[in-house]
Amino acid sequence: MKRVFSGVQPTGNIHLGNYLGALVQFPELQQDNECLYCIVDEHAITVPQDPKELKKHILDVAALYIAVGIDPKKSIVFVQSEVSAHAELGWILICASNTGELFRMTQFKAKSHGKESVGTGLLTYPALMAADILLYDTDIVPVGNDQKQHIELTRDLAIRVNNKYGKTFVVPDGRFLKAGARIMALDDPTAKMSKSAVNEMSRISLLDEPSKIKKAIMRATTDSEGSVRFDMENKPGISNLMNIYSAFSGKSLEDIEKDYEGHGYGDFKKDLVELTVDGLAPIKAHYEEIRYSDELVRTLHEGAERADAIAQKTMKRVREKFGLGLE
Ligand code: ATP
Ligand code: LTN
């Protein structure tokens, strides 16, 4: 059995990018693997957060995890800050990393761009992400494409520590999907769909009403050519919508092109609205049942206990290898 680990930040409404890039992979992996799915609240505070909102968003993400099909009896679902070993190993891996490699991360460059000053956590964040993954001897990390560079750094750190101190960590692999790995903003297909974009019409959140989904898709930026053809470079708008269509329908891009030969964008978009609304409806219905049940918090406590038991074993090994603490 392989070990799987992934995390989502409790920083706002989970959108189609998060879902089709990462979350959609989570339930299918739990059949044949031992999975840990984490709500990474310590990552969220790399930028300022309102404490009340953060607490609420932690439970929102937990409920969505279960609503998309994660079974907390099979997988371990937990909150990062409830297992103190994340922060502990995070520090050790900060010490194992160089400032140069952290300054090179494109996410750091993007988030610090044009700002006079940013929090240090924004720079050291990939070492904490590496700690999340390496703590559990993870083999597979299902994520969106934007995390590729962070997974590479995690691998580099694992290999570096193993070379210096002897075999300490498992070297993990990222798992990226074809259609959903990089969903772009609906109003600007050159930018990643994001929780933080100002324009609500740039994204579809998993809990959006059908009327909002319809509006956002019908208004989505396309081009003047009018043919449903995949060409990310020259036709990024329609290509992005085709990726979403493919992810929800399971159809290949070639089949979608064939199906819409001779049709305009209007027909395609109408069908995409239906596919998206139908695809998200069961998640939304399930979410409402879970979010305010007492069971949810109990599940998270239990998850943290199970995660902590694994993490403590790794930490014992790490302290030993690094020469930390007493004999
Ligand atoms: P955002 O940019 O929307 O604020 P994020 O990337 O900062 O999100 P998370 O919520 O932690 O942070 O992301 C959870 C998962 O969603 C990660 O695996 C990430 O790779 C994936 N993801 C985020 N945005 C997209 C996107 N536009 N397309 C595909 N996958 C995405
Ligand atoms: N960095 C990720 C969230 C994240 C994560 C992880 C993903 C934190 N720790 C461990 C996979 C494994 C993001 O911003 N999307």
Side-chain angles (χ1 to χ4, degrees):
M1 251 204 189
K2 296 215 165 167
R3 185 74 55 75
V4 173
F5 183 98
S6 197
V8 172
Q9 303 192 48
T11 45
N13 290 333
I14 303 297
H15 53 72
L16 268 191
N18 301 133
Y19 179 57
L20 299 178
L23 279 157
V24 78
Q25 305 190 55
F26 297 179
E28 68 192 41
L29 282 165
Q30 61 186 349
Q31 306 315 329
D32 303 314
N33 305 284
E34 190 181 355
C35 302
L36 291 106
Y37 295 121
C38 187
I39 298 131
V40 288
D41 55 348
E42 288 168 339
H43 283 268
I45 60 166
T46 53
V47 295
Q49 298 291 340
D50 175 77
K52 276 206 190 97
E53 284 290 302
L54 182 59
K55 267 223 176 339
K56 186 177 133 324
H57 284 146
I58 288 171
L59 293 179
D60 292 347
V61 174
L64 261 180
Y65 270 176
I66 297 168
V68 301
I70 293 171
D71 176 356
K73 293 212 166 53
K74 277 200 193 115
S75 302
I76 299 179
V77 181
F78 72 106
V79 182
Q80 184 185 30
S81 64
E82 297 280 316
V83 178
S84 59
H86 287 258
E88 197 179 346
L89 185 59
W91 173 253
I92 293 171
L93 292 177
I94 284 174
C95 296
S97 59
N98 322 116
T99 50
E101 60 194 353
L102 295 178
F103 277 117
R104 271 199 299 277
M105 294 290 116
T106 51
Q107 195 176 67
F108 172 73
K109 287 190 201 162
K111 292 201 172 176
S112 60
H113 183 76
K115 300 208 170 90
E116 206 169 289
S117 161
V118 292
T120 312
L122 214 51
L123 178 67
T124 58
Y125 151 121
L128 180 61
M129 174 162 165
D132 301 339
I133 296 167
L134 300 180
L135 250 189
Y136 300 98
D137 294 333
T138 302
D139 302 292
I140 304 165
V141 188
V143 278
N145 254 355
D146 61 324
Q147 297 302 312
K148 234 177 199 159
Q149 210 184 18
H150 293 157
I151 303 285
E152 265 318 302
L153 181 76
T154 302
R155 290 170 56 87
D156 289 348
L157 289 173
I159 293 167
R160 188 178 306 159
V161 169
N162 287 349
N163 285 341
K164 184 158 184 201
Y165 298 96
K167 177 100 176 73
T168 310
F169 295 126
V170 171
V171 182
D173 285 305
R175 186 179 193 264
F176 309 95
L177 293 177
K178 205 163 161 243
R182 191 166 173 78
I183 300 296
M184 310 309 281
L186 299 177
D187 62 337
D188 173 9
T190 61
K192 177 180 100 119
M193 186 178 283
S194 162
K195 291 176 200 149
S196 47
V198 188
N199 183 4
E200 269 294 320
M201 290 299 153
S202 70
R203 65 183 157 260
I204 291 171
S205 298
L206 299 199
L207 304 174
D208 274 348
E209 293 299 331
S211 57
K212 151 76 199 294
I213 296 175
K214 183 173 178 193
K215 212 164 165 186
I217 291 179
M218 296 314 284
R219 280 190 194 176
T221 304
T222 49
D223 55 74
S224 55
E225 193 198 49
S227 71
V228 180
R229 193 164 54 76
F230 191 82
D231 178 351
M232 208 62 207
E233 204 164 305
N234 300 307
K235 292 162 69 71
I238 192 70
S239 300
N240 184 43
L241 297 180
M242 287 175 75
N243 267 332
I244 298 173
Y245 191 115
S246 169
F248 274 118
S249 65
K251 280 192 185 166
S252 68
L253 296 170
E254 296 77 45
D255 283 347
I256 298 170
E257 282 182 2
K258 271 190 216 131
D259 287 354
Y260 288 93
E261 228 175 272
H263 291 267
Y265 293 150
D267 289 345
F268 171 83
K269 281 182 165 181
K270 254 188 242 147
D271 292 347
L272 180 61
V273 170
E274 204 176 302
L275 269 176
T276 308
V277 170
D278 289 353
L280 297 183
I283 299 175
K284 201 168 148 67
H286 200 180
Y287 175 87
E288 307 292 342
E289 288 165 27
I290 302 157
R291 174 60 177 85
Y292 297 99
S293 76
D294 300 337
E295 187 78 22
L296 186 60
V297 174
R298 242 180 288 137
T299 298
L300 292 171
H301 278 307
E302 214 179 280
E305 267 175 38
R306 289 163 70 196
D308 191 60
I310 306 172
Q312 285 311 326
K313 277 196 203 145
T314 310
M315 284 316 298
K316 192 160 180 285
R317 190 169 76 226
V318 171
R319 282 191 211 104
E320 194 61 40
K321 295 276 189 192
F322 278 74
L324 293 167
L326 297 173
E327 288 281 318

